[in-house]
Amino acid sequence: ELKVEQNPLFLSMQEGKNYTIYCNYSTTSDRLYWYRQDPGKSLESLFVLLSNGAVKQEGRLMASLDTKARLSTLHITAAVHDLSATYFCAVDVNYQLIWGAGTKLIIKP
Amino acid sequence: NAGVTQTPKFQVLKTGQSMTLQCAQDMNHNSMYWYRQDPGMGLRLIYYSASEGTTDKGEVPNGYNVSRLNKREFSLRLESAAPSQTSVYFCASSDDGVMNTEAFFGQGTRLTVV
């Protein structure tokens, strides 16, 4: 069974702290995507990771992909309140996206 | 450049009523998708269309039908709505998927079936 598991599912943290969200998947894939969703809003693409070892950074967020370990990480550096959202990873399997359940991130001022 | 446009944004239906959700994209994408999102869950694929004239079932197709009217438009129809279909529905599109299946999403339709 194809599975994409995100950990943790819920994270509450203080501003200024660092943390990592993990996305594990159960089948071979070398394409993975990270999205952000604000409450009541649509999904916004954050990162596109298309090969083993891919690393992308945007502001305080950095995403990486290890296809051998079937693992992607989304690292948050010195968190700020504006990063509060739900973050989803999605894995491309035969040109279809399989989605994780999402990580709800709350950053307290 | 509007991207992916969905209508309506909100809808309340009575059990047994039918309705069609409309979706259009202006990015010349070949692939289009309909997802549903339920509280605390990720996205579940209802149907997708890899190209004009083709449609395929996703993970949760029961109770839905789709039409790929042309390259731009992909509609989702509920023939006889049920309370279990209360959800937020998202339409998405992506390019031909050979190298990059990054999906672009519409704003969503919040559907309540009473």
Side-chain angles (χ1 to χ4, degrees):
Chain A
E1 181 186 355
L2 299 175
K3 286 186 178 179
V4 178
E5 296 183 337
Q6 287 185 234
N7 289 291
L9 297 181
F10 179 80
L11 176 59
S12 179
M13 57 193 292
Q14 296 291 127
E15 278 192 326
K17 299 292 187 181
N18 303 332
Y19 210 82
T20 301
I21 299 170
Y22 297 90
C23 175
N24 292 274
Y25 53 98
S26 64
T27 190
T28 302
S29 176
D30 58 3
R31 288 181 285 194
L32 188 142
Y33 307 86
W34 283 97
Y35 287 82
R36 168 181 173 148
Q37 186 179 35
D38 293 303
K41 302 294 185 181
S42 186
L43 286 87
E44 173 190 359
S45 179
L46 288 176
F47 296 111
V48 176
L49 304 170
L50 298 178
S51 61
N52 186 40
V55 177
K56 297 281 184 73
Q57 183 163 5
E58 180 73 31
R60 300 174 187 275
L61 299 177
M62 183 174 71
S64 65
L65 177 61
D66 182 343
T67 60
K68 294 179 181 177
R70 298 179 183 175
L71 171 68
S72 180
T73 60
L74 179 65
H75 186 73
I76 303 149
T77 301
V80 293
H81 179 65
D82 286 351
L83 291 178
S84 296
T86 298
Y87 293 87
F88 292 93
C89 64
V91 177
D92 183 329
V93 178
N94 297 326
Y95 307 113
Q96 291 187 43
L97 295 182
I98 310 299
W99 293 82
T103 297
K104 185 173 184 178
L105 176 63
I106 295 176
I107 300 171
K108 300 177 182 179
Chain B
N1 191 344
V4 180
T5 303
Q6 285 181 239
T7 56
K9 288 185 172 53
F10 300 94
Q11 184 71 50
V12 178
L13 290 178
K14 294 182 179 179
T15 296
Q17 286 185 319
S18 62
M19 79 162 294
T20 299
L21 282 65
Q22 306 287 352
C23 176
Q25 53 91 9
D26 61 5
M27 296 175 282
N28 202 36
H29 286 166
N30 285 321
S31 299
M32 297 185 73
Y33 311 85
W34 277 105
Y35 291 95
R36 61 178 288 172
Q37 184 178 36
D38 298 297
M41 298 181 70
L43 297 175
R44 291 187 291 170
L45 183 64
I46 304 171
Y47 272 93
Y48 68 99
S49 170
S51 63
E52 183 180 353
T54 68
T55 61
D56 287 286
K57 295 179 180 180
E59 181 184 356
V60 288
N62 291 343
Y64 305 95
N65 285 299
V66 291
S67 295
R68 183 74 182 268
L69 303 171
N70 47 56
K71 191 171 185 178
R72 291 186 65 248
E73 298 173 289
F74 189 37
S75 62
L76 178 71
R77 183 161 177 85
L78 286 70
E79 292 290 352
S80 179
S84 62
Q85 294 178 305
T86 294
S87 188
V88 180
Y89 292 85
F90 287 101
C91 177
S93 70
S94 65
D95 68 13
D96 64 11
V98 174
M99 287 300 297
N100 183 347
T101 45
E102 181 186 13
F104 296 85
F105 285 82
Q107 290 304 301
T109 297
R110 190 172 297 272
L111 175 67
T112 302
V113 183
V114 298

